[in-house]
Amino acid sequence: MTEVVCNDHLGKKVHVTCNIDDTIGDLKKLITAQTGTHWNKIGLKKWYTIFKDQVSLGEIQ
């Protein structure tokens, strides 16, 4: 289990606990459960790298 911290441009911070085997798409759906934003509208990126939905979290680290 790993904890991912996501924040948006409005200052809202979300802590999500997920498995390393989960994909970015699964992570977006977990974020949706806490924020209420539709998962298609969420774009996850780190600096200038935009993550695709089919990549697992284990491949990123």
Side-chain angles (χ1 to χ4, degrees):
M1 300 292 283
T2 184
E3 184 176 11
V4 179
V5 179
C6 301
N7 54 354
D8 60 1
H9 294 290
L10 300 175
K12 189 187 303 182
K13 220 179 233 194
V14 178
H15 296 269
V16 180
T17 304
C18 55
N19 292 324
I20 293 181
D21 298 338
D22 291 343
T23 62
I24 296 294
D26 297 335
L27 178 61
K28 286 182 181 182
K29 291 175 185 172
L30 291 172
I31 294 169
T32 298
Q34 291 188 7
T35 61
T37 306
H38 199 269
W39 70 273
N40 285 347
K41 304 278 183 182
I42 297 173
L44 294 177
K45 58 185 172 179
K46 182 178 180 181
W47 290 94
Y48 294 105
T49 304
I50 300 172
F51 298 119
K52 307 243 178 191
D53 288 344
Q54 60 269 18
V55 177
S56 70
L57 293 174
E59 295 176 13
I60 294 172
Q61 298 174 0

